[in-house]
């Protein structure tokens, strides 16, 4: 970790010497000398970092180096702050000739000399206390070439290792499927065991079984953990059971959600899984919120996972908790081997020598039968050479005297952490900022890593691509879990196991890297010198954030939507070193003070989902900003200040006002007036580093969109017809696009002249909202298109879009929604859609007859039919689609409601083989 801090400081000093040499004056020589000293000291740090856990002298020495690096970084940042502010005031030359500049330079020189003096003392201590005699070995090489293995998985599910659970799965499934007893009000099955035993994995395997799914009308998985809000849990359950959208549910209060769920459960038999319940009081609250009426409870089944036996017994006193035990030696070695050989394609590579097998069995056995420890250790060894010498060093490098109780596997987890390459350690520790059981967006996480400076430029590769490889390597090592994957194979959302999160928090706190406000052991007075602060939900409130105790703060992330204004308003004054400010969904945020323009070192600003109505002009001073998210705010128009932020890499803006018909009309008028009065549109091509751009349509499209050749993701919504030519010409030149959304959402009569995407080889997701003259020719689609969504396309019966779309060779997801097709008959012929996994037919109001011929959809897993009110019956061909795992039907009650009833409906024979059939008619 200290090595990473010093490496980053060395890179910063190099940039300072290269880019700001004119401002260094007489201290340039001192900076060069400091740079050289740090390079020498960094050469010793890698081995020292590995020894710090077992050697107090080394630990103290490494901590001193780390603190020195942090102090030096702050000194440089504060000096750069002065330079940037003078540059923004256009008085650079006058400033350099002023007494203030000479004073600033003199002060900076003294601070650099002080850092150099401290380096001398630290270097002397290395020799004085024998630290320089540390042994170096194979582990210091770190296998830095690991990232050369770019693995892109095709499967979208989380990888789950199950060994030794077969009998447990069968017993639990039988319990859940049994018919209700007349004298019982509710049947609850609980799985109890310490952290790392695999409770969630076991519950997920039971939950996913087809015979279990077929027993119920619908199922929902609810993550609880120690920090939760009933409204969030209710929304999540309703979204799964009733297929309601997030936008629908956000508008409802907690009582509305309870009533909605209660009315649904009265008529249906459902399975609810509550994962990670910590207190008896939590269970009582959950039961009251989800199943408030006794007559609703008889039909339902509940599966609970918990670490606390007292909680397990409390959930249902009549059913003994299912206590999960440790794995035996045989199962332990089987799971260990599964992880060690997880990426060996050839069978001959999946074997041990006799000596190596003996060491492997010893390693697996010493994990004490705890699956998490085995999986993590196996993930570590999967990255190393399978030689006796390498594996024996692993045996020697950990204290195998494992503790009893929940901390049993911490030594193994700590070993896996210290074995991480230095460039991954900061990335892993960052997960400590997130609440327990939190599903983390990988896209957002990667942007945060880049803003934090964890990712260094590597050749021509973007930092975002490098960061994605880092995340994949953490997953390969089983330090992080992939909760879901995109169709193209990258990680969409990830999670961290509670015990590994505890490790991340513990290690990060040692070095003052992060603190969590909202936990019982944290107070305002304890936050001094912490560089990152996360706010977690806390019913007791918190003290206002103050620069007097947090002037070293680099990052502020809020996960508490109810944060009050007085608790965060101090962030804008005195926090000169702030690089990350994340206030997403903070409901009290409706105004930004002009002081925010003083945070010129800020790289990441997330104000998504707030009630913000405008941004101050001073925000244009944020010249280092890389990510700006103003999505789903109350700002009416694109702020002109953003055109000055030339370092932007990711820009998102959308207004809640866009959903109002009145405002839509005003926007049309304003846009037309703006185009006639404004001769020079905003120059979007000033933002040459943009990779992500989400904006409503306006004259900026004519301001150089075609020059943004680094764009990977482009989303535009609004009056597209005003800019058709500029938009068409621009898209043709944006050859690096991966994702394209075009939403002509005001234009019922607008025809989109389809651009040929034949040369867009990276474009895998295409979303079009607006009329199409006809279905494009096959050769005009992107050659590697994986996901296609068409809305309001108004394709005619004669177009028969499926005849063309079935030939797209890589298509995995197809969604036709909101009158994308106006015909009455849709034919899916045999031999088509070779790779399609997910088909969504949404609001096709004229559709009466859906035909699926035998041989169509050989890989289809999910079929969703929503709002197709005139559909008379399900296609006979569905019974031949044996790969189907989910069928979701949602509509206003029509002929289908009776036809899909279990056992009695005329269409039941066609779909009874599908593990999960969810219907909702209203």
């Amino acid at each position: 970790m200290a090595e990473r801090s010093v490496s980053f400081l060395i890179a910063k000093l190099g940039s300072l010497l290269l880019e700001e040499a004119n401002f260094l004056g007489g201290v340039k020589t001192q900076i060069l000398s400091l740079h050289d000293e740090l390079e020498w000291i960094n050469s010793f740090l890698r081995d020292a970092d590995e020894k710090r856990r077992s050697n107090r002298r080394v630990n103290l020495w490494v901590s001193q180096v780390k603190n020195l690096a942090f102090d030096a970084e702050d000194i440089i940042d504060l000096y750069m702050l002065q330079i940037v502010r003078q540059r923004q005031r256009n008085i650079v030359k006058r400033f350099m000739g002023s007494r203030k500049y000479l004073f600033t330079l003199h002060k900076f020189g003294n601070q650099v000399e002080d850092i150099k003096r401290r380096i001398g003392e630290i270097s002397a201590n290395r020799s004085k206390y024998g630290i320089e005699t540390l042994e170096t070995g194979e582990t210091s090489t770190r296998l830095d070439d690991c990232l050369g293995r770019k693995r892109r998985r095709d499967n979208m599910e989380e990888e789950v290792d199950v060994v030794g659970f077969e009998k447990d799965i069968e017993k639990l499934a039988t319990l859940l499927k049994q018919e209700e007893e007349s004298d019982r009000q509710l049947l609850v099955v609980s799985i109890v065991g310490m952290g790392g035993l695999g409770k969630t994995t076991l519950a997920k395997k039971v939950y996913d079984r087809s015979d279990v799914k077929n027993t119920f009308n619908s199922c929902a998985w609810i993550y609880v953990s120690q920090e939760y809000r009933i409204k969030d849990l209710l929304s999540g359950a309703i979204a799964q059971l009733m297929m309601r959208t997030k936008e629908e549910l956000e508008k409802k209060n907690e009582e509305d959600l309870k009533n909605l769920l209660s009315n649904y459960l009265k008529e249906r038999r459902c399975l609810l899984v509550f994962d990670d319940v910590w207190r008896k009081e939590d269970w009582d609250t959950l039961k009251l919120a989800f199943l408030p009426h006794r007559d609703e409870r008889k039909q339902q089944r509940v599966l609970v996972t918990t670490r606390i036996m007292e909680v397990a017994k409390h959930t249902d006193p009549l059913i003994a908790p299912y206590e999960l035990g440790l794995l035996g030696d045989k199962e332990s070695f089987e799971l260990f081997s599964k992880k060690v050989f997880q990426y060996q394609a050839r069978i001959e590579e999946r074997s041990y020598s006799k000596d190596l097998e003996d060491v492997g069995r010893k390693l697996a056995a010493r994990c004490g039968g705890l699956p998490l420890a085995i999986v993590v250790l196996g993930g570590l060894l999967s990255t190393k050479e399978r030689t006796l010498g390498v594996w024996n060093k692993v045996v020697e490098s950990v204290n195998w005297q494992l503790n009893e109780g929940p901390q049993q596997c911490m030594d193994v987890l700590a070993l896996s952490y210290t074995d991480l390459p230095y460039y991954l350690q900061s990335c892993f520790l960052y997960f400590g900022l997130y609440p327990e059981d939190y599903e983390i967006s990988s896209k957002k996480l990667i942007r945060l890593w880049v803003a934090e400076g964890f990712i260094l430029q590597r050749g021509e590769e973007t930092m975002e691509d490098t960061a994605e490889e880092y995340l994949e390597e953490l997953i390969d090592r089983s330090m992080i879990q992939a909760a879901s994957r995109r169709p193209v194979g990258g990680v969409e959302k990830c999670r961290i196991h509670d015990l590994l999160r505890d490790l991340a928090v513990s290690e990060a706190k040692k070095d003052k890297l992060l603190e969590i406000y909202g936990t019982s052991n944290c107070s305002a007075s304890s936050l001094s010198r912490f560089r990152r602060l996360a706010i977690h939900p806390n019913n007791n409130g918190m003290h206002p954030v103050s620069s007097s105790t947090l002037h070293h703060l680099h990052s502020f992330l809020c996960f508490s939507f109810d944060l009050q204004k007085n608790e965060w308003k101090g962030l804008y004054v005195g926090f000169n070193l702030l690089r990350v400010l994340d206030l997403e969904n903070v409901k009290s945020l409706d105004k930004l003070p002009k002081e925010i323009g003083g945070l010129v070192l800020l790289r990441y600003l997330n104000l998504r989902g707030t009630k913000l109505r405008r941004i101050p002009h001073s925000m244009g001073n944020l010249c280092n900003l890389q990510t700006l998210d103003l999505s789903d705010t109350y700002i009416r128009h694109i702020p002109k200040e953003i055109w000055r932020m030339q370092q932007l890499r990711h820009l998102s803006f959308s207004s809640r006002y866009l959903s109002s018909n009145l405002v839509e009309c005003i926007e049309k008028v304003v846009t037309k007036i703006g185009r006639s009065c404004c001769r020079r549109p905003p120059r979007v091509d000033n933002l040459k580093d943009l990779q992500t751009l989400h904006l409503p349509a306006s004259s900026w499209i004519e301001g150089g969109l075609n020059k943004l050749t680094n764009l990977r993701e482009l989303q535009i919504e609004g009056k597209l017809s005003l800019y058709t030519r500029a938009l068409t010409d621009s898209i043709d030149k944006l050859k690096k696009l991966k994702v394209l959304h075009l939403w002509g959402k005001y234009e019922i009569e607008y025809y989109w002249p389809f651009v040929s995407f034949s040369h867009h080889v990276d474009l895998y997701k295409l979303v079009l909202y607006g009329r199409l003259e006809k279905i494009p020719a096959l050769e005009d689609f992107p050659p590697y298109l994986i996901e296609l969504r068409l809305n309001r396309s108004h394709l005619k019966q004669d177009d028969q879009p499926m005849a063309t779309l079935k030939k797209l060779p890589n298509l995995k997801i197809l969604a036709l929604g909101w009158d994308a097709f106006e015909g009455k008959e849709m034919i899916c012929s045999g031999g088509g859609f070779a790779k399609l996994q997910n088909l969504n037919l949404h609001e096709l109001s004229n559709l009466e007859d859906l035909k699926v011929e035998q041989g169509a959809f050989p890989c289809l897993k999910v079929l969703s039919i929503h709002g197709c009110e005139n559909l008379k019956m399900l296609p006979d061909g569905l019974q031949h689609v044996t790969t189907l795992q989910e069928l979701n039907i949602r509509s206003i009650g029509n002929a289908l409601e009776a036809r899909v009833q279990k056992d009695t409906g005329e269409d039941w024979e066609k779909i009874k083989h599908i593990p999960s059939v969810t219907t909702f008619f209203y």
Side-chain angles (χ1 to χ4, degrees), residues 557-591:
L557 292 85
C558 183
F559 299 95
S560 174
F561 304 155
D562 301 323
L563 195 67
Q564 297 304 305
K565 187 175 295 187
N566 71 304
E567 295 171 343
W568 53 259
K569 66 180 181 180
L571 278 170
Y572 307 119
V573 182
F575 288 87
N576 293 321
L577 300 176
L578 209 61
R579 295 173 187 162
V580 168
L581 179 56
D582 188 346
L583 295 172
E584 182 173 345
N585 287 323
V586 173
K587 303 306 179 186
S588 61
L589 179 56
D590 57 4
K591 184 179 179 181

Short mmCIF file of all heavy atoms in Angstrom, two decimals, residues 557-591:
data_model
loop_
_atom_site.label_atom_id
_atom_site.label_comp_id
_atom_site.label_asym_id
_atom_site.label_seq_id
_atom_site.Cartn_x
_atom_site.Cartn_y
_atom_site.Cartn_z
N LEU A 557 -18.07 10.35 0.13
CA LEU A 557 -19.11 9.56 -0.53
C LEU A 557 -20.28 9.37 0.42
O LEU A 557 -20.07 8.98 1.59
CB LEU A 557 -18.59 8.18 -0.96
CG LEU A 557 -17.55 8.14 -2.07
CD1 LEU A 557 -16.14 8.34 -1.50
CD2 LEU A 557 -17.60 6.81 -2.82
N CYS A 558 -21.48 9.64 -0.05
CA CYS A 558 -22.65 9.56 0.81
C CYS A 558 -23.57 8.43 0.34
O CYS A 558 -23.96 8.38 -0.83
CB CYS A 558 -23.41 10.89 0.79
SG CYS A 558 -24.82 10.87 1.90
N PHE A 559 -23.92 7.54 1.27
CA PHE A 559 -24.87 6.47 0.98
C PHE A 559 -26.15 6.65 1.80
O PHE A 559 -26.99 5.75 1.84
CB PHE A 559 -24.25 5.12 1.31
CG PHE A 559 -23.02 4.81 0.50
CD1 PHE A 559 -21.75 5.09 0.99
CD2 PHE A 559 -23.13 4.28 -0.77
CE1 PHE A 559 -20.61 4.82 0.24
CE2 PHE A 559 -22.00 4.01 -1.54
CZ PHE A 559 -20.75 4.29 -1.03
N SER A 560 -26.30 7.80 2.43
CA SER A 560 -27.48 8.09 3.23
C SER A 560 -28.31 9.14 2.51
O SER A 560 -27.92 10.29 2.41
CB SER A 560 -27.06 8.60 4.63
OG SER A 560 -28.18 9.02 5.37
N PHE A 561 -29.46 8.72 1.99
CA PHE A 561 -30.31 9.64 1.24
C PHE A 561 -30.91 10.73 2.12
O PHE A 561 -31.29 11.79 1.63
CB PHE A 561 -31.46 8.88 0.56
CG PHE A 561 -31.00 7.77 -0.33
CD1 PHE A 561 -31.82 6.68 -0.59
CD2 PHE A 561 -29.73 7.79 -0.89
CE1 PHE A 561 -31.39 5.65 -1.42
CE2 PHE A 561 -29.28 6.76 -1.72
CZ PHE A 561 -30.11 5.70 -1.97
N ASP A 562 -30.99 10.46 3.42
CA ASP A 562 -31.64 11.39 4.35
C ASP A 562 -30.67 12.37 5.00
O ASP A 562 -31.00 13.00 6.00
CB ASP A 562 -32.38 10.60 5.44
CG ASP A 562 -33.42 9.67 4.86
OD1 ASP A 562 -34.07 10.07 3.88
OD2 ASP A 562 -33.58 8.55 5.37
N LEU A 563 -29.48 12.48 4.47
CA LEU A 563 -28.49 13.41 5.01
C LEU A 563 -29.06 14.82 5.02
O LEU A 563 -29.59 15.31 4.02
CB LEU A 563 -27.23 13.37 4.16
CG LEU A 563 -25.96 14.00 4.74
CD1 LEU A 563 -25.47 13.19 5.92
CD2 LEU A 563 -24.87 14.08 3.68
N GLN A 564 -28.96 15.49 6.18
CA GLN A 564 -29.52 16.83 6.30
C GLN A 564 -28.53 17.89 5.80
O GLN A 564 -27.32 17.69 5.81
CB GLN A 564 -29.89 17.11 7.76
CG GLN A 564 -30.96 16.18 8.29
CD GLN A 564 -32.23 16.21 7.47
OE1 GLN A 564 -32.81 17.29 7.25
NE2 GLN A 564 -32.67 15.06 6.99
N LYS A 565 -29.09 19.04 5.41
CA LYS A 565 -28.28 20.08 4.78
C LYS A 565 -27.16 20.55 5.70
O LYS A 565 -26.02 20.77 5.26
CB LYS A 565 -29.17 21.25 4.38
CG LYS A 565 -28.45 22.32 3.56
CD LYS A 565 -29.41 23.41 3.09
CE LYS A 565 -30.42 22.85 2.13
NZ LYS A 565 -31.25 23.91 1.52
N ASN A 566 -27.42 20.70 6.98
CA ASN A 566 -26.38 21.20 7.88
C ASN A 566 -25.25 20.19 8.07
O ASN A 566 -24.17 20.54 8.54
CB ASN A 566 -27.00 21.53 9.25
CG ASN A 566 -27.41 20.27 10.01
OD1 ASN A 566 -28.17 19.46 9.51
ND2 ASN A 566 -26.92 20.12 11.22
N GLU A 567 -25.49 18.93 7.67
CA GLU A 567 -24.49 17.89 7.85
C GLU A 567 -23.46 17.85 6.73
O GLU A 567 -22.40 17.25 6.89
CB GLU A 567 -25.18 16.53 7.96
CG GLU A 567 -26.05 16.42 9.21
CD GLU A 567 -26.92 15.17 9.23
OE1 GLU A 567 -27.10 14.55 8.16
OE2 GLU A 567 -27.44 14.82 10.30
N TRP A 568 -23.77 18.46 5.58
CA TRP A 568 -22.83 18.39 4.46
C TRP A 568 -22.46 19.75 3.88
O TRP A 568 -21.55 19.86 3.07
CB TRP A 568 -23.38 17.52 3.32
CG TRP A 568 -24.75 17.90 2.83
CD1 TRP A 568 -25.91 17.29 3.14
CD2 TRP A 568 -25.11 18.97 1.95
NE1 TRP A 568 -26.98 17.89 2.53
CE2 TRP A 568 -26.50 18.94 1.78
CE3 TRP A 568 -24.38 19.96 1.29
CZ2 TRP A 568 -27.19 19.84 1.00
CZ3 TRP A 568 -25.07 20.88 0.50
CH2 TRP A 568 -26.45 20.81 0.36
N LYS A 569 -23.13 20.82 4.28
CA LYS A 569 -22.91 22.11 3.62
C LYS A 569 -21.50 22.64 3.82
O LYS A 569 -21.00 23.41 3.00
CB LYS A 569 -23.93 23.13 4.10
CG LYS A 569 -23.80 23.53 5.57
CD LYS A 569 -24.86 24.55 5.94
CE LYS A 569 -24.74 24.98 7.40
NZ LYS A 569 -25.76 25.99 7.76
N GLY A 570 -20.80 22.20 4.90
CA GLY A 570 -19.45 22.67 5.13
C GLY A 570 -18.43 22.13 4.16
O GLY A 570 -17.27 22.55 4.17
N LEU A 571 -18.84 21.20 3.30
CA LEU A 571 -17.90 20.58 2.35
C LEU A 571 -17.32 21.58 1.36
O LEU A 571 -16.28 21.35 0.78
CB LEU A 571 -18.62 19.48 1.55
CG LEU A 571 -18.73 18.12 2.25
CD1 LEU A 571 -19.66 17.23 1.48
CD2 LEU A 571 -17.37 17.48 2.39
N TYR A 572 -18.00 22.68 1.13
CA TYR A 572 -17.59 23.59 0.07
C TYR A 572 -16.57 24.62 0.53
O TYR A 572 -16.02 25.35 -0.28
CB TYR A 572 -18.81 24.31 -0.50
CG TYR A 572 -19.91 23.37 -0.93
CD1 TYR A 572 -21.16 23.40 -0.34
CD2 TYR A 572 -19.66 22.41 -1.90
CE1 TYR A 572 -22.16 22.53 -0.74
CE2 TYR A 572 -20.65 21.52 -2.29
CZ TYR A 572 -21.90 21.59 -1.71
OH TYR A 572 -22.87 20.71 -2.09
N VAL A 573 -16.34 24.69 1.82
CA VAL A 573 -15.42 25.69 2.35
C VAL A 573 -14.29 24.99 3.11
O VAL A 573 -14.54 24.24 4.05
CB VAL A 573 -16.15 26.67 3.30
CG1 VAL A 573 -15.18 27.73 3.80
CG2 VAL A 573 -17.33 27.32 2.60
N GLY A 574 -13.07 25.22 2.69
CA GLY A 574 -11.92 24.69 3.42
C GLY A 574 -11.46 23.31 2.99
O GLY A 574 -10.42 22.84 3.43
N PHE A 575 -12.22 22.65 2.13
CA PHE A 575 -11.82 21.31 1.68
C PHE A 575 -11.10 21.43 0.33
O PHE A 575 -11.55 20.90 -0.68
CB PHE A 575 -13.05 20.41 1.57
CG PHE A 575 -13.62 20.01 2.90
CD1 PHE A 575 -14.55 20.81 3.54
CD2 PHE A 575 -13.19 18.86 3.53
CE1 PHE A 575 -15.07 20.45 4.77
CE2 PHE A 575 -13.71 18.49 4.76
CZ PHE A 575 -14.64 19.30 5.39
N ASN A 576 -9.98 22.11 0.36
CA ASN A 576 -9.28 22.42 -0.88
C ASN A 576 -8.72 21.19 -1.60
O ASN A 576 -8.47 21.25 -2.80
CB ASN A 576 -8.13 23.40 -0.60
CG ASN A 576 -8.64 24.75 -0.16
OD1 ASN A 576 -9.64 25.24 -0.67
ND2 ASN A 576 -7.98 25.35 0.83
N LEU A 577 -8.50 20.10 -0.86
CA LEU A 577 -7.87 18.92 -1.45
C LEU A 577 -8.88 17.91 -1.97
O LEU A 577 -8.50 16.84 -2.44
CB LEU A 577 -6.96 18.25 -0.42
CG LEU A 577 -5.81 19.10 0.12
CD1 LEU A 577 -5.05 18.35 1.20
CD2 LEU A 577 -4.87 19.51 -1.00
N LEU A 578 -10.16 18.23 -1.90
CA LEU A 578 -11.21 17.27 -2.29
C LEU A 578 -11.11 16.91 -3.77
O LEU A 578 -11.04 17.78 -4.63
CB LEU A 578 -12.58 17.87 -1.98
CG LEU A 578 -13.70 16.88 -1.65
CD1 LEU A 578 -13.37 16.08 -0.41
CD2 LEU A 578 -15.02 17.62 -1.47
N ARG A 579 -11.09 15.60 -4.03
CA ARG A 579 -11.06 15.10 -5.42
C ARG A 579 -12.35 14.41 -5.81
O ARG A 579 -12.68 14.34 -6.98
CB ARG A 579 -9.91 14.10 -5.60
CG ARG A 579 -8.54 14.70 -5.42
CD ARG A 579 -7.49 13.60 -5.44
NE ARG A 579 -6.17 14.11 -5.12
CZ ARG A 579 -5.15 13.37 -4.74
NH1 ARG A 579 -5.31 12.07 -4.61
NH2 ARG A 579 -3.98 13.90 -4.50
N VAL A 580 -13.03 13.82 -4.82
CA VAL A 580 -14.26 13.07 -5.09
C VAL A 580 -15.36 13.59 -4.18
O VAL A 580 -15.18 13.67 -2.97
CB VAL A 580 -14.05 11.56 -4.84
CG1 VAL A 580 -15.38 10.82 -4.83
CG2 VAL A 580 -13.12 10.96 -5.88
N LEU A 581 -16.49 13.96 -4.78
CA LEU A 581 -17.66 14.39 -4.03
C LEU A 581 -18.87 13.68 -4.62
O LEU A 581 -19.28 13.96 -5.76
CB LEU A 581 -17.83 15.91 -4.12
CG LEU A 581 -19.04 16.50 -3.38
CD1 LEU A 581 -19.03 16.11 -1.90
CD2 LEU A 581 -19.07 18.02 -3.52
N ASP A 582 -19.42 12.75 -3.86
CA ASP A 582 -20.55 11.94 -4.32
C ASP A 582 -21.74 12.16 -3.39
O ASP A 582 -21.76 11.68 -2.26
CB ASP A 582 -20.15 10.46 -4.33
CG ASP A 582 -21.20 9.57 -4.98
OD1 ASP A 582 -22.33 10.05 -5.19
OD2 ASP A 582 -20.89 8.41 -5.28
N LEU A 583 -22.72 12.91 -3.88
CA LEU A 583 -23.92 13.21 -3.10
C LEU A 583 -25.17 12.67 -3.80
O LEU A 583 -26.25 13.25 -3.72
CB LEU A 583 -24.06 14.73 -2.90
CG LEU A 583 -22.96 15.39 -2.06
CD1 LEU A 583 -23.09 16.91 -2.10
CD2 LEU A 583 -22.99 14.90 -0.62
N GLU A 584 -25.02 11.55 -4.47
CA GLU A 584 -26.13 10.97 -5.23
C GLU A 584 -27.34 10.70 -4.35
O GLU A 584 -27.23 10.12 -3.27
CB GLU A 584 -25.69 9.67 -5.91
CG GLU A 584 -26.76 9.03 -6.75
CD GLU A 584 -26.26 7.83 -7.55
OE1 GLU A 584 -25.03 7.67 -7.66
OE2 GLU A 584 -27.10 7.07 -8.06
N ASN A 585 -28.51 11.16 -4.82
CA ASN A 585 -29.80 10.92 -4.16
C ASN A 585 -29.95 11.57 -2.79
O ASN A 585 -30.86 11.21 -2.03
CB ASN A 585 -30.07 9.41 -4.04
CG ASN A 585 -30.41 8.77 -5.36
OD1 ASN A 585 -31.09 9.38 -6.20
ND2 ASN A 585 -29.92 7.58 -5.59
N VAL A 586 -29.08 12.53 -2.44
CA VAL A 586 -29.27 13.28 -1.20
C VAL A 586 -30.43 14.25 -1.40
O VAL A 586 -30.32 15.23 -2.14
CB VAL A 586 -27.98 14.04 -0.81
CG1 VAL A 586 -28.24 14.94 0.39
CG2 VAL A 586 -26.87 13.04 -0.49
N LYS A 587 -31.55 13.97 -0.77
CA LYS A 587 -32.78 14.68 -1.06
C LYS A 587 -32.78 16.13 -0.59
O LYS A 587 -33.54 16.96 -1.08
CB LYS A 587 -33.98 13.94 -0.43
CG LYS A 587 -34.11 12.49 -0.86
CD LYS A 587 -34.15 12.35 -2.38
CE LYS A 587 -34.25 10.90 -2.80
NZ LYS A 587 -34.14 10.73 -4.26
N SER A 588 -31.92 16.44 0.39
CA SER A 588 -31.90 17.82 0.91
C SER A 588 -31.10 18.76 0.03
O SER A 588 -31.07 19.96 0.27
CB SER A 588 -31.32 17.82 2.33
OG SER A 588 -29.98 17.33 2.32
N LEU A 589 -30.44 18.24 -1.00
CA LEU A 589 -29.59 19.07 -1.84
C LEU A 589 -30.42 19.71 -2.95
O LEU A 589 -30.82 19.06 -3.92
CB LEU A 589 -28.46 18.22 -2.45
CG LEU A 589 -27.49 18.95 -3.38
CD1 LEU A 589 -26.85 20.13 -2.68
CD2 LEU A 589 -26.41 18.00 -3.88
N ASP A 590 -30.70 21.00 -2.81
CA ASP A 590 -31.45 21.72 -3.84
C ASP A 590 -30.70 22.94 -4.37
O ASP A 590 -31.16 23.60 -5.30
CB ASP A 590 -32.82 22.16 -3.29
CG ASP A 590 -32.70 23.01 -2.03
OD1 ASP A 590 -31.56 23.32 -1.62
OD2 ASP A 590 -33.74 23.34 -1.44
N LYS A 591 -29.53 23.22 -3.78
CA LYS A 591 -28.79 24.42 -4.20
C LYS A 591 -27.30 24.22 -3.90
O LYS A 591 -26.94 23.65 -2.87
CB LYS A 591 -29.31 25.65 -3.46
CG LYS A 591 -28.67 26.94 -3.88
CD LYS A 591 -29.27 28.13 -3.10
CE LYS A 591 -28.62 29.44 -3.50
NZ LYS A 591 -29.17 30.58 -2.73
#
